[in-house]
Amino acid sequence: MGVGLSQRGRRPASTTQNTLDANRLTRHHRHMIRAPIQALLAGLTLASTGGAAQACGPYTAAVYAYARFYYEDPQLGPAGIDKDMFDELALRSGCELRMVVESRVRIWDQMRRGVVQLTLSALASPERREIAELVPYAQGRYQVLMRRELAGRINSIAAFEAMPGLRLLDVRGYAHGPTIDAWVLRMRSQGRLVEAGDFKTAARMMRAGRADGLLALPSGWGIAMAAFDNPDELVAVDVAPNERNAVSLAMAHTMPEADRLRLRRALQAMLADGSVHAILRRHLGDKGARTAMYTGE
């Protein structure tokens, strides 16, 4: 039935009435249109992968506040790469995802205990692989932020370790890839590792002189530099230039394989049609998105 017909067999309403009806539909029923469209898109994704339109979830999807991955926008509210990724994954897979914000160390503890089922921006480690399936969609590499004077003398992990008075600052629960993870363990065993509960606290500790080097992804450099009166005081030193670490969607092994398959295929479709790149570009800019795009392990 068209908008201009109120009942079968009656004459069409006037042009004016048609316009009023259309305006009323636009004002009051947009949400009724969006829901079927979203359901259709999710259905098409499932149909294309051979999945049945069965219940998926609800699952707890955890994010952590860090740089552009997740943050609170004063005007828009929750925002960031991980939020947009979870929104799109839920839409395409048809899975119900309930997002929560936690610290990184609590996320992995809760995944181990079955409280949390999914997280994003996950770098691999042997311990994490025991807890979850990791599906890559981006890449990243940690570097070390140092004061400019020190950075002029330290250009490698070996040079940093060779000076026993230097301390390394990290966020508790972070993984960084094989090379830097091994370095962090050595620094801890030597009593030279300082840890913070979150990255903003780590930046303040760096400013206060609690450590000489701060591990950070490029997306977090701005936060660290903003903690200093002179942002140019900090310099990034690339101590593992040949390492490329996959950034992954982590899905707990306790989730049914059928549901993990739906989410895995949804993510693969997002990579194939450029949606992941568009999300990265929205939050990191063109250059940051090109650097962060996954190119294979």
Side-chain angles (χ1 to χ4, degrees):
M1 184 181 296
V3 173
L5 293 175
S6 57
Q7 292 181 13
R8 181 180 296 179
R10 289 192 177 184
R11 294 181 61 189
S14 67
T15 301
T16 300
Q17 186 62 46
N18 283 349
T19 302
L20 291 172
D21 288 346
N23 289 340
R24 190 177 299 114
L25 176 67
T26 300
R27 287 195 305 271
H28 300 296
H29 301 293
R30 281 177 179 158
H31 67 284
M32 296 177 66
I33 294 174
R34 287 194 190 106
I37 290 175
Q38 291 177 344
L40 175 61
L41 289 173
L44 289 173
T45 298
L46 291 175
S48 67
T49 58
Q54 298 175 346
C56 176
Y59 293 120
T60 300
V63 299
Y64 67 106
Y66 177 76
R68 308 302 291 178
F69 294 101
Y70 179 83
Y71 58 96
E72 292 285 338
D73 185 282
Q75 281 75 43
L76 303 176
I81 295 170
D82 288 1
K83 179 186 180 300
D84 291 352
M85 288 287 295
F86 271 138
D87 285 347
E88 189 68 17
L89 283 167
L91 175 64
R92 295 197 185 213
S93 67
C95 295
E96 183 181 353
L97 307 181
R98 298 176 178 175
M99 196 174 71
V100 299
V101 182
E102 285 286 4
S103 70
R104 205 49 165 160
V105 67
R106 281 178 58 84
I107 286 174
W108 284 98
D109 177 63
Q110 291 181 4
M111 287 191 77
R112 184 181 295 107
R113 294 188 290 110
V115 178
V116 166
Q117 289 78 43
L118 301 108
T119 191
L120 286 161
S121 301
L123 270 65
S125 71
E127 295 79 10
R128 290 179 175 185
R129 290 190 185 279
E130 291 181 2
I131 298 170
E133 173 187 357
L134 301 175
V135 186
Y137 61 89
Q139 64 183 22
R141 185 172 74 255
Y142 276 86
Q143 298 186 36
V144 184
L145 294 175
M146 305 180 200
R147 285 177 169 81
R148 185 171 295 277
E149 185 276 331
L150 181 62
R153 297 183 286 121
I154 302 293
N155 61 0
S156 67
I157 289 175
F160 196 101
E161 284 194 80
M163 299 182 67
L166 299 183
R167 291 166 298 175
L168 183 65
L169 179 58
D170 193 20
V171 177
R172 192 176 299 110
Y174 279 15
H176 321 82
T179 300
I180 295 182
D181 278 349
W183 180 33
V184 168
L185 288 176
R186 292 196 302 273
M187 296 298 282
R188 179 180 286 119
S189 69
Q190 297 169 25
R192 298 169 59 187
L193 181 68
V194 180
E195 293 182 286
D198 59 74
F199 191 75
K200 285 187 176 180
T201 300
R204 291 193 295 268
M205 291 169 67
M206 183 70 181
R207 176 182 175 174
R210 296 280 302 280
D212 307 282
L214 169 60
L215 287 168
L217 290 169
S219 55
W221 295 352
I223 294 174
M225 292 174 179
F228 285 73
D229 294 331
N230 178 12
D232 293 333
E233 186 175 349
L234 284 184
V235 175
V237 179
D238 192 355
V239 296
N242 298 320
E243 195 159 275
R244 293 290 183 275
N245 301 303
V247 176
S248 301
L249 163 67
M251 299 181 287
H253 291 309
T254 54
M255 291 175 61
E257 167 58 24
D259 290 354
R260 284 189 281 131
L261 178 62
R262 288 168 71 160
L263 287 157
R264 192 185 310 128
R265 287 176 169 171
L267 180 56
Q268 290 167 348
M270 290 167 60
L271 284 165
D273 68 14
S275 297
V276 171
H277 184 263
I279 290 171
L280 293 172
R281 188 175 62 242
R282 185 181 308 144
H283 296 282
L284 300 178
D286 288 334
K287 182 178 179 180
R290 287 194 300 271
T291 303
M293 276 303 297
Y294 181 63
T295 56
E297 294 184 279

